[in-house]
Structures are given as structure tokens and as C-alpha cells.
Amino acid sequence: MRLLRALPRSCAPPDAEAQAGFARAWTALDDPPAILRLARTHALEGPIRAAAGPLAASSPAPAPPQQALSQRAAAEARLRHAWTRAALVEASAALHQAAVRHAVLKGPLLAELLYADPGQRSSLDLDLLVAPADLDAALAALIELGYFSEFGPHATYARAHHVHLHLARADRPLVELHFRAFRGFGIELAAEPLLDRSLPAGPGALRVLEPHDRFVYLALHAAGHLFERLGWLYDLKLFLAQVPLDPILVASRAEALGAGPAVALACAALADIEPDSPALDVLRALLPAPRRLPLAARLRRAHQRGPRDTPRATLERIAFQALLAPSPPAGARFLAHHLGRIARRRFQRALPALAPPDWAG
């Protein structure tokens, strides 16, 4: 965490004080290669390699193999970013041609906004937001490009209760076609208001969320995944430092959604790596601090210490989101829905002849 605090908070070259702070944190590490391997799982390898590169270059006895590995990783990341961005432009053009209003939630455009070298922030998929009424037209436009959409019980459940459908193509990154920006914690971040406030992102049809909407979305996305990747917190750190935000507007939009507790916990986690941000201090003071917040934070830490693919981990994720619902009744409804879904899926797997097919979703 100390290393994450010391990472630059601006896409501009860091000043001497910031470089010295990172150098102190980096040289205090016992096993830098192990940290880089861990950083890869948290989508932080690019920023850490970039910040550590000048230290290796200025060392009296630089390690050429490590430098070569860093240079190769950076080159591969830039190529991956260019490939992902080209796929995004192609998909956006197809949606525009089909008269489907859409916006980009994160991915390569977020990397270009926040990072001096966009390749430092890897994107494994494309997140595109459309209105629910335009979902089928959007699917048709992307299928025309050669994508295949998921179908069956999972797709049926996703349309009713989830936020996106997956589309795959062998030579392109996975597309997550969102018809809701977010659903979790017993709340929903609907597509239409975000699309109404979205802004152009350069030439062409690409659009991005308005900055305050994007901060709330990124905070909810990170919290919804229990901050399992620290790179999501680093995105928020860079966003807060580089994009002018009105804390009152951020807090009011979060509260209007019922997302105040979840965004409050995201901001508390962000304060661990960005302790000197006046804007963050103001925002935290404006957001609610219900008594269940510390319990949710403890559950999050316990979850991060254990394996992620066990029934216990699934229950921890559900309980975490229920704790951060806007009210106890909303949390109870969230809990009942997801526990009921688990029970239905298990029943369907055990006795498929007796259960409706859509219980597999």
C-alpha cells in the first residue's frame, strides 16, 4: 500500500519530490520482482514499471535483463492498447451507423485520459453502454461485425437482473454491452440519464460519461468487486487528481441513487492511497457514514485474504453488497434475491428434470 501511495497521481512527469517518495518506497522492498508479479494481478504492473524504470537506469549497476523485460512489457502493452482502441472505434462506428446512442464506460478511453502512456492501464474488454430500448439494435449491429452473443438461461437472467451481455469475436477483445451501467447494493445506475449527460470523446461517434457520473460509476464498479484489483483504486486516485470535480455534485448524485454508503466506502479505501486530497476530504464529509460501514470494511478485508472462487467467497460478496444497500430493507431484499438465485441454480443442477430451464440462469 505504501508503494501505491507513492505512485504518481498525474499523467505528467512526476516532480522531484514525487520521484524521491517513490524511490524510497521502491528501495525499501525486499523482493521487487515478486511485487511486480503481484502488481500484474492488480492491473498495476504498467504504472509501477514506469515509475521504477528511471531508478534502474540511474543505478550504478543497472540490471539489463530487468530493464529489457520492462521495455518489452511496455511495448506489448502499447500494442494491446492500440488493438483494443481500434476494436472500440470499429464497434462504436457500427453502433453509430445503426443510430444506436452509446457511451464508453472505461477501457482505452479512460487510459488515455488518465495515463501518460495509455498502455500502462490494460483493458481486457470493451464496456459500451446503450439504452435498454436499443439493446437489440445494438446486438444486431455488433453481430453484423462478426461478434457472437451469449444466449440461453444466462442471457435471459442477465436481461432481467444483470447489467450487460457478452459478445465475443476471435480477433477482437470481449465486448460487454451494458444496458444498465451498474446494478448492485440494491440499487441501479440506469443508462438513460448517463447517456443524456454523456460528452463527445474526440472525433467520430465515441462518447464518455460526464466526469461526475464517471467518478460515481468507477467508485461503484470498484466497490462492487470488493476492490479486488487495486488498479481500480489507482484509477480513482488519478481521476480525482486530474479531473476537476465538484464534491457536492458527486455526493448528491450518489445519494440520489441510494449509492451513498457504497461510494463512501470506496472513498474511504481511496483515502488509504490518497491521504492528502482536500477534494476527497470534502467528499467523504458529505457522504453518509452508517454504522454498518466498518463491518462492510472488515468483511472486505477478510474476503481479500481468502480464495476468490469458493462458495464462501460468493456469500461474502453478497453479504458485503447487502451491508452497503441504501437501507436495511433494501439490503434484505438484495440478500433474498441472490440467495434465492443460488438455491434455484443448485436445484436445477441437481434435478434438471424437475426445475424450469431458466433456473440455470
Side-chain angles (χ1 to χ4, degrees):
M1 196 63 76
R2 180 183 175 189
L3 191 67
L4 190 51
R5 288 192 197 102
L7 277 175
R9 60 169 63 96
S10 171
C11 61
D15 56 29
E17 183 179 352
Q19 286 179 321
F22 182 84
R24 287 192 297 271
W26 181 254
T27 54
L29 297 175
D30 295 328
D31 189 354
I35 292 297
L36 284 172
R37 289 193 296 272
L38 180 62
R40 188 175 301 124
T41 68
H42 286 280
L44 284 169
E45 182 185 14
I48 290 177
R49 282 192 183 277
L55 302 179
S58 63
S59 170
Q66 191 62 40
Q67 288 181 328
L69 284 173
S70 293
Q71 291 168 356
R72 176 178 176 176
E76 289 175 348
R78 292 186 193 108
L79 287 172
R80 189 163 50 248
H81 172 79
W83 173 69
T84 306
R85 198 188 198 287
L88 173 62
V89 170
E90 179 187 51
S92 176
L95 294 177
H96 180 68
Q97 182 67 27
V100 173
R101 194 170 56 141
H102 60 284
V104 182
L105 292 174
K106 42 191 178 68
L109 294 189
L110 182 66
E112 291 172 8
L113 173 69
L114 300 180
Y115 292 77
D117 178 356
Q120 291 178 15
R121 189 198 186 278
S122 60
S123 297
L124 302 178
D125 50 36
L126 302 176
D127 295 88
L128 294 168
L129 178 68
V130 301
D134 291 331
L135 177 59
D136 289 325
L139 284 170
L142 294 175
I143 289 170
E144 185 71 20
L145 283 181
Y147 286 91
F148 293 89
S149 175
E150 62 181 317
F151 58 90
H154 287 284
T156 301
Y157 178 85
R159 282 177 177 259
H161 302 289
H162 198 35
V163 297
H164 60 65
L165 295 174
H166 289 111
L167 292 101
R169 177 176 156 182
D171 58 343
R172 293 289 186 271
L174 187 73
V175 172
E176 291 187 352
L177 187 61
H178 287 248
F179 44 92
R180 303 178 183 98
F182 180 86
R183 178 176 266 185
F185 307 111
I187 63 168
E188 177 179 310
L189 187 53
E192 290 92 337
L194 302 184
L195 291 169
D196 290 342
R197 292 192 292 260
S198 66
L199 303 171
L206 291 171
R207 298 181 71 85
V208 295
L209 301 189
E210 186 273 338
H212 299 84
D213 288 334
R214 197 189 293 196
F215 184 88
V216 171
Y217 167 74
L218 293 174
L220 286 174
H221 177 266
H225 289 280
L226 284 83
F227 313 102
E228 289 175 351
R229 285 188 193 169
L230 292 176
W232 292 325
L233 282 177
Y234 187 55
D235 285 342
L236 286 168
K237 171 179 175 173
L238 295 180
F239 199 94
L240 192 66
Q242 297 179 44
V243 180
L245 293 174
D246 179 353
I248 297 175
L249 185 52
V250 172
S252 67
R253 288 193 182 167
E255 281 287 85
L257 289 166
V263 174
L265 189 62
C267 289
L270 181 57
D272 288 339
I273 65 168
E274 185 68 348
D276 302 317
S277 169
L280 184 58
D281 291 341
V282 173
L283 179 55
R284 293 185 67 192
L286 292 169
L287 290 167
R291 285 180 290 180
R292 42 207 163 91
L293 221 58
L295 179 58
R298 287 197 296 273
L299 182 57
R300 168 217 166 192
R301 289 191 291 269
H303 174 80
Q304 290 180 329
R305 289 193 293 266
R308 308 284 170 81
D309 55 354
T310 64
R312 174 176 175 171
T314 299
L315 292 175
E316 286 172 346
R317 286 191 285 268
I318 294 171
F320 174 82
Q321 292 210 27
L323 281 170
L324 294 177
S327 67
R333 289 191 295 272
F334 177 89
L335 200 61
H337 170 81
H338 286 278
L339 293 179
R341 183 193 181 201
I342 290 172
R344 289 191 297 273
R345 294 180 72 182
R346 290 191 173 184
F347 186 89
Q348 205 280 337
R349 284 197 296 267
L351 298 167
L354 300 179
D358 61 359
W359 280 20

